[in-house]
Amino acid sequence: MDKMRKLFTPGPLGISMRVRQQMLRDIGSREPEFIETIRFVRKKLLEIANVGDEVFTVVPMQGSGTFALESAFTTTIPRNDGKVLILDNGSYGKRLMKICQTSSIQTEIMSVPEALNFSIEDITKRLESDQFSHLAMVHCETSTGAINPIEEIGTAVKAVSPDTIFMVDSMSGFVGIPMNLDNIDVMVTSTNKCMQGAPGFAYCFLKKELLNRCKGNSRSLSLDLFDQYEALEKTGQFRFTIPTHVMLAFAEAIRELEDEGGVIQRAKRYKENAEILRREMQQMGFLTLLDHSDHQLSYIITSFHYPKHKNFNFDIFYNKLYEKGSVIYPGKVTIANCFRIGTIGDIWPDDIKKLLSDIKETMQEMEIDLPIKNV
Ligand SMILES: Cc1ncc(COP(=O)(O)O)c(C=O)c1O
């Protein structure tokens, strides 16, 4: 068997053996045990998000996170009079824009440079000066590692425009970052981020009152979230072939989260991972893209500038780490040459220490003296 590598990536992420093992058996999608598994997963997700089932529902959708985002946008935005304001400070904000444009949804984008904060005043002014049925943004901008203040923005949005639907892409935030859904109407996330399940489906939290108004909105048959919801409520089943193995693994990922101590304990572990990583990387002379003192800097993923040294070459650095069993990730920003190191998934402080020792060894092999001078 190929060497097991640790993934320090934004996803797909490494998962534990106990979660992986659940995928070793087949199960029929109509078996009572499987229908009960789906019911368990939906019920537990509401508990994890700390929302009541009288207000919220959760609807899983086959595919990766982008499929669920597309499904949420094309189902909840009316065909004729919908208009979305998208807040963008990175590539995943831009992806929300692309999803809307692809479906011919009327859209306006409010961009700030990558990794910078939005001005809440600018957002509320824009909402007051025009009618937007929806406002959408990313929670943790995984391309930079920035956390956007969704709760603060949600409160401000509802104060000036209570009927505007607030949609959040919390793909890499949910469960890694404790959050309050009070002012959020739609939140989308996936199995294989901080929930530590296998990739294969994603899910949307929606206010029921909103979803119940969405029949017939969808521009797509397979991504119709309302139909998916109706089928789940009526039959307990998905409409089309479900990744059964992934669902079994996800139920185990929920039990694993509970055994770890829930969202607070998981967030604590991720924070510890990131703190160890940044402290030692800084000692080696690596510089982060975001300022450490910035409250936006998340512990989900960190972007590091390429060191300024004639011997540094990212491909060589990456491949040498890969050979040692550690997988990192290229950067995804346009303003600087960066690489990224994720600290979520089945990653523990000892894994981070091993990665750091692999990085030191690699720098030695590349003949780059530590600490790096960056001149
Ligand atoms: C914030 C955010 N949005 C959307 C996505 C897209 O998810 P997927 O690649 O599962 O479609 C990602 C993936 O990392 C993400 O981090």
Side-chain angles (χ1 to χ4, degrees), residues 253-268:
I254 288 174
R255 290 187 280 270
E256 184 181 56
L257 173 69
E258 287 178 342
D259 290 348
E260 190 174 349
V263 173
I264 301 295
Q265 287 307 317
R266 183 153 295 174
K268 203 168 148 204

Side-chain angles (χ1 to χ4, degrees), residues 34-48 58 60 191 195 201 203 205 238 246-255:
F34 191 68
I35 290 175
E36 172 52 27
T37 303
I38 297 177
R39 196 199 60 78
F40 166 83
V41 161
R42 290 182 70 212
K43 178 173 160 284
K44 283 287 178 183
L45 283 173
L46 293 178
E47 280 174 32
I48 294 165
V58 62
T191 49
M195 275 299 305
F201 70 89
Y203 43 98
F205 290 86
F238 281 45
V246 176
M247 182 57 82
L248 292 175
F250 195 61
E252 188 64 20
I254 288 174
R255 290 187 280 270

Side-chain angles (χ1 to χ4, degrees), residues 154-194:
T155 307
V157 169
K158 294 294 173 183
V160 296
S161 186
D163 292 336
T164 299
I165 305 298
F166 185 34
M167 304 180 70
V168 172
D169 165 355
S170 187
M171 215 60 74
S172 60
F174 180 61
V175 166
I177 306 165
M179 65 194 282
N180 179 329
L181 289 181
D182 280 356
N183 288 312
I184 297 172
D185 302 288
V186 182
M187 191 272 277
V188 182
T189 184
S190 100
T191 49
N192 181 240
K193 290 281 196 277
C194 304

Side-chain angles (χ1 to χ4, degrees), residues 8-279:
F8 301 92
T9 64
L13 296 171
I15 57 177
S16 69
M17 188 56 84
R18 74 180 259 194
V19 170
R20 234 179 286 153
Q21 270 169 346
Q22 296 301 314
M23 294 190 281
L24 294 179
R25 70 178 170 125
D26 295 331
I27 190 166
S29 64
R30 288 165 190 267
E31 287 175 32
E33 183 200 340
F34 191 68
I35 290 175
E36 172 52 27
T37 303
I38 297 177
R39 196 199 60 78
F40 166 83
V41 161
R42 290 182 70 212
K43 178 173 160 284
K44 283 287 178 183
L45 283 173
L46 293 178
E47 280 174 32
I48 294 165
N50 204 15
V51 289
D53 67 356
E54 63 294 346
V55 178
F56 269 95
T57 187
V58 62
V59 186
M61 180 57 77
Q62 295 96 324
S64 79
T66 308
F67 289 62
L69 284 169
E70 196 148 11
S71 156
F73 277 88
T74 53
T75 302
T76 63
I77 300 174
R79 284 178 190 234
N80 297 324
D81 51 357
K83 184 171 172 190
V84 192
L85 178 62
I86 289 172
L87 308 183
D88 145 53
N89 63 346
S91 16
Y92 289 109
K94 288 180 184 60
R95 178 156 323 159
L96 298 183
M97 174 80 181
K98 195 144 190 213
I99 288 173
C100 290
Q101 285 175 336
T102 306
S103 296
S104 305
I105 292 169
Q106 212 189 331
T107 314
E108 184 176 309
I109 193 153
M110 188 182 255
S111 297
V112 296
E114 275 164 344
L116 288 191
N117 274 317
F118 299 102
S119 144
I120 295 200
E121 204 188 328
D122 287 351
I123 299 168
T124 52
K125 267 195 199 148
R126 194 67 202 94
L127 289 176
E128 280 169 328
S129 65
D130 206 344
Q131 279 264 304
F132 288 97
S133 58
H134 293 63
L135 175 88
M137 69 183 295
V138 171
H139 183 195
C140 175
E141 189 33 93
T142 327
S143 58
T144 57
I147 297 183
N148 290 319
I150 48 166
E151 285 156 14
E152 214 181 318
I153 293 176
T155 307
V157 169
K158 294 294 173 183
V160 296
S161 186
D163 292 336
T164 299
I165 305 298
F166 185 34
M167 304 180 70
V168 172
D169 165 355
S170 187
M171 215 60 74
S172 60
F174 180 61
V175 166
I177 306 165
M179 65 194 282
N180 179 329
L181 289 181
D182 280 356
N183 288 312
I184 297 172
D185 302 288
V186 182
M187 191 272 277
V188 182
T189 184
S190 100
T191 49
N192 181 240
K193 290 281 196 277
C194 304
M195 275 299 305
Q196 298 184 188
F201 70 89
Y203 43 98
C204 310
F205 290 86
L206 304 110
K207 292 218 164 119
K208 280 181 172 170
E209 176 274 324
L210 164 69
L211 187 55
N212 283 324
R213 288 188 268 132
C214 294
K215 191 177 173 68
N217 276 352
S218 180
R219 285 82 164 162
S220 151
L221 172 73
S222 56
L223 297 179
D224 189 332
L225 210 53
F226 179 85
D227 273 5
Q228 182 91 327
Y229 170 59
E230 217 174 37
L232 280 162
E233 293 294 307
K234 280 188 187 148
T235 66
Q237 298 175 32
F238 281 45
R239 295 164 305 157
F240 308 123
T241 301
I242 169 172
T244 41
H245 305 82
V246 176
M247 182 57 82
L248 292 175
F250 195 61
E252 188 64 20
I254 288 174
R255 290 187 280 270
E256 184 181 56
L257 173 69
E258 287 178 342
D259 290 348
E260 190 174 349
V263 173
I264 301 295
Q265 287 307 317
R266 183 153 295 174
K268 203 168 148 204
R269 165 163 62 91
Y270 290 165
K271 259 184 210 162
E272 192 183 344
N273 286 346
E275 275 162 20
I276 297 170
L277 175 78
R278 287 177 197 153
R279 195 172 50 238

